[in-house]
């Protein structure tokens, strides 16, 4: 849940003349004298899990300052009177002390009490209907009338009762990274300057194959209000250009589908509209996008939205060769030239030792004067590569994820 990253850039501007040409209620953007505001992000789900609320405080745009709000009392209350307390796990991040799930037919509200005695309460929020992801799949295709080719990740779902209608999507994508110039040996410093000596030894850690997980950070929504039935069909959750190196080997994506209420959908739709407007910063004025959380102490503005959602999720895996058989892999993140830095220069420096000690270079192979791979006038004893080319841990984690399937 990374919506606040995009929110920060546009919460202080007002866009006049925006109208929603649909049945979705729009949110008003007020012009204000903006000094400071509480920023809240929280979605309670119907999954029995540790729930999470983020609370921050932000200041005028010219200060470029936003920080997590610590030492607050955060709790969620349901219409049966049950109270779920949250604890601060890091600055501004609050997690429920016990796992719990939102229950149908109940309403939920969020209360925040800051360390300076101010109280903020959300509107009562109902639990929406449930809709299950029927299918999650990948297809090779073109985007923007052939301008880009790559992989689309599509989702299908259907609610025969017609009670869902408003959907939001998040994803976690995980991809395999294989260091293209990995060697089973590594160079190490035996003795430093002024009499430097370097040798090689077997690597003791896995540095050839790693995995990287990245979460979505954009607003991805769909609604079925104008359809004849409550069916999401071939909705593109993600597009990845075929030249993106994350597709090079094996790729996985976990997609979560959140059913939300009409007001939450409208809030994020307005936020997305502002974020996508190229003219936003050409007419900067102080502005504020109001959510469903109010200050009970004074007229302080509160940014963000508290909602309750039902969730469905699916994961898929695929290899680059599944869709691009016999075709060249995407370019790696570096050109990975072979280098042979000298052990010691005429000036008494050691580029080789500097590269090893600062973890800038990794060993690839012994240097041979018969090789026509570089033109260094005073080559060192080894071919070296940038660390990103020989050590996958520069980009990812060498621990295989629990869910990973080859």
């Amino acid at each position: 849940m990374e919506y606040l990253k995009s929110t920060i850039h546009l919460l202080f501007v007002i866009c006049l003349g925006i109208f929603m040409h649909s049945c979705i209620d729009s949110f008003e953007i007020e012009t204000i004298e903006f000094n400071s505001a509480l920023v809240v992000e929280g979605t309670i789900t119907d999954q029995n899990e540790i729930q999470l609320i983020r609370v921050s405080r932000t200041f005028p745009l010219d200060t470029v300052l936003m920080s997590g709000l610590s030492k607050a009392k955060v709790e969620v209350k349901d219409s049966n009177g049950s109270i779920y307390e949250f604890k601060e796990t890091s600055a501004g991040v609050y997690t429920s002390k016990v796992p719990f799930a939102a229950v149908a037919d109940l309403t939920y509200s969020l209360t925040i009490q800051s360390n300076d005695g101010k109280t903020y309460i959300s509107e009562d929020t109902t639990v929406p209907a449930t809709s299950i992801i029927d299918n999650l799949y990948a297809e090779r295709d073109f985007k923007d009338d052939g301008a880009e080719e790559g992989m689309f990740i599509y989702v299908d779902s259907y609610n025969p009762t017609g009670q869902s209608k408003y959907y939001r999507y998040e994803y976690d994508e995980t991809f395999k990274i294989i260091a293209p110039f990995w060697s089973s040996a590594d160079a190490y410093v035996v003795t430093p300057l002024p009499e430097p000596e370097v040798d090689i030894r077997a690597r003791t850690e896995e540095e050839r194959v790693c995995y990287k997980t990245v979460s979505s950070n954009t607003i991805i929504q769909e609604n079925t209000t104008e359809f004849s039935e409550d069916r999401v069909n071939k909705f593109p959750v993600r597009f990845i250009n075929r030249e993106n190196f994350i597709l090079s080997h094996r790729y996985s994506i976990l997609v979560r589908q959140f059913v939300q209420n009409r007001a939450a959908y409208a809030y994020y739709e307005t936020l997305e509209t502002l974020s996508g407007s190229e003219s936003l910063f050409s007419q900067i004025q102080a502005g504020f996008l109001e959510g469903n959380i109010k200050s009970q102490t004074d007229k302080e503005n509160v940014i963000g939205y508290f909602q309750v959602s039902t969730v469905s999720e699916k994961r898929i895996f695929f290899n680059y060769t599944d869709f691009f058989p016999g075709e060249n892999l995407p370019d790696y993140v570096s050109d990975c030239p072979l280098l042979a830095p000298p052990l010691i220069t005429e000036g008494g420096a050691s580029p080789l030792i500097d590269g090893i000690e600062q973890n800038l270079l990794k060993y690839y192979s012994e240097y041979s004067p018969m090789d026509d791979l570089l033109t260094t006038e005073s080559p060192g004893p080894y071919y070296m590569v940038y660390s990103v080319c020989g050590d996958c841990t520069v980009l990812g984690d060498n621990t295989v994820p629990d869910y990973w399937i080859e």
Side-chain angles (χ1 to χ4, degrees):
M1 300 189 292
E2 301 290 339
Y3 301 121
L4 291 183
K5 293 181 180 178
S6 58
T7 306
I8 298 170
H9 298 289
L10 47 91
L11 290 173
F12 308 96
V13 296
I14 179 170
C15 184
L16 300 177
I18 292 180
F19 298 93
M20 297 302 186
H21 300 291
S22 69
C23 63
I24 309 300
D25 297 336
S26 61
F27 276 77
E28 297 296 328
I29 307 168
E30 303 175 3
T31 300
I32 59 173
E33 292 295 329
F34 199 92
N35 294 315
S36 176
L38 195 73
V39 182
V40 180
E41 178 191 7
T43 299
I44 302 303
T45 74
D46 64 338
Q47 305 297 301
N48 188 37
E49 60 188 4
I50 297 295
Q51 309 286 351
L52 184 146
I53 304 290
R54 290 188 175 92
V55 187
S56 302
R57 182 165 293 284
T58 191
F59 299 92
L61 186 61
D62 56 6
T63 68
V64 194
L65 177 62
M66 178 174 174
S67 59
L69 182 70
S70 293
K71 299 180 180 179
K73 181 180 179 181
V74 177
E75 61 185 28
V76 170
K77 182 178 181 180
D78 67 29
S79 52
N80 275 347
S82 298
I83 297 176
Y84 303 95
E85 297 181 347
F86 286 64
K87 61 182 179 181
E88 186 175 11
T89 54
S90 60
V93 177
Y94 295 83
T95 57
S96 58
K97 292 183 178 179
V98 296
F100 71 96
V103 179
D105 300 325
L106 297 183
T107 61
Y108 293 80
S109 64
L110 170 69
T111 299
I112 300 170
Q113 292 182 330
S114 62
N115 194 38
D116 58 2
K118 294 184 178 182
T119 301
Y120 310 85
I121 301 178
S122 76
E123 298 173 359
D124 289 337
T125 306
T126 59
V127 182
T130 300
S131 183
I132 304 300
I133 294 178
D134 294 323
N135 195 17
L136 179 68
Y137 52 103
E139 290 186 5
R140 174 181 176 175
D141 207 342
F142 288 92
K143 182 183 179 183
D144 298 332
D145 297 325
E148 291 185 78
E149 185 183 19
M151 296 301 303
F152 280 94
I153 309 299
Y154 293 114
V155 64
D156 297 338
S157 71
Y158 173 55
N159 185 343
T161 69
Q163 296 179 353
S164 297
K165 297 185 182 299
Y166 305 101
Y167 301 90
R168 177 170 57 84
Y169 296 92
E170 297 177 359
Y171 61 80
D172 293 327
E173 59 183 356
T174 304
F175 49 93
K176 178 188 284 189
I177 302 166
I178 300 178
F181 283 79
W182 173 86
S183 169
S184 60
D186 202 6
Y188 71 100
V189 178
V190 178
T191 57
L193 292 170
E195 297 181 358
E197 182 182 353
V198 174
D199 202 353
I200 61 172
R201 60 189 174 192
R203 294 202 197 193
T204 58
E205 295 184 6
E206 171 59 58
E207 295 176 338
R208 178 176 178 267
V209 179
C210 291
Y211 304 84
K212 178 72 173 180
T213 298
V214 179
S215 299
S216 54
N217 61 1
T218 57
I219 299 169
I220 309 169
Q221 295 198 126
E222 174 67 315
N223 78 85
T224 61
T225 56
E226 297 182 0
F227 301 162
S228 59
E229 55 185 358
D230 191 1
R231 184 185 298 274
V232 176
N233 183 49
K234 205 173 185 179
F235 178 71
V237 174
R238 176 83 163 103
F239 173 78
I240 312 168
N241 187 290
R242 63 169 297 169
E243 298 302 326
N244 192 327
F245 96 102
I246 71 175
L247 293 177
S248 297
H249 302 289
R250 189 158 178 78
Y251 173 90
S252 178
I253 186 168
L254 173 71
V255 173
R256 300 182 189 88
Q257 175 179 270
F258 296 82
V259 178
Q260 54 192 358
N261 62 33
R262 176 175 176 164
Y265 181 93
Y267 177 86
Y268 284 111
E269 186 178 49
T270 303
L271 187 60
E272 182 184 21
T273 300
L274 292 177
S275 179
S277 173
E278 295 180 354
S279 60
L280 268 179
F281 294 98
S282 63
Q283 299 179 357
I284 295 178
Q285 298 182 38
F288 168 64
L289 179 60
E290 184 179 26
N292 66 346
I293 305 168
K294 305 286 187 182
S295 171
Q296 305 299 302
T297 308
D298 50 34
K299 294 183 179 181
E300 180 186 351
N301 297 294
V302 183
I303 299 166
Y305 207 91
F306 171 73
Q307 64 174 313
V308 181
S309 293
T310 57
V311 182
S312 174
E313 64 180 38
K314 277 188 180 294
R315 177 184 292 279
I316 59 170
F317 293 82
F318 63 85
N319 296 330
Y320 187 79
T321 53
D322 294 338
F323 294 93
F324 302 92
E327 301 186 42
N328 293 332
L329 296 179
D331 291 338
Y332 194 62
V333 294
S334 171
D335 291 338
C336 299
L338 289 178
L339 310 169
L343 178 60
I344 190 166
T345 65
E346 292 183 359
S350 179
L352 178 58
I353 286 182
D354 288 344
I356 294 172
E357 289 184 336
Q358 297 177 39
N359 199 31
L360 300 175
L361 300 175
K362 283 291 182 178
Y363 171 86
Y364 180 63
S365 68
E366 296 275 353
Y367 172 76
S368 171
M370 302 299 293
D371 294 333
D372 187 21
L373 298 177
L374 47 77
T375 58
T376 306
E377 293 183 359
S378 301
Y382 309 122
Y383 283 123
M384 306 291 288
V385 292
Y386 298 134
S387 290
V388 71
C389 302
D391 179 0
C392 66
T393 63
V394 174
L395 298 175
D397 191 326
N398 59 11
T399 303
V400 182
D402 294 338
Y403 53 80
W404 194 259
I405 299 174
E406 285 294 340

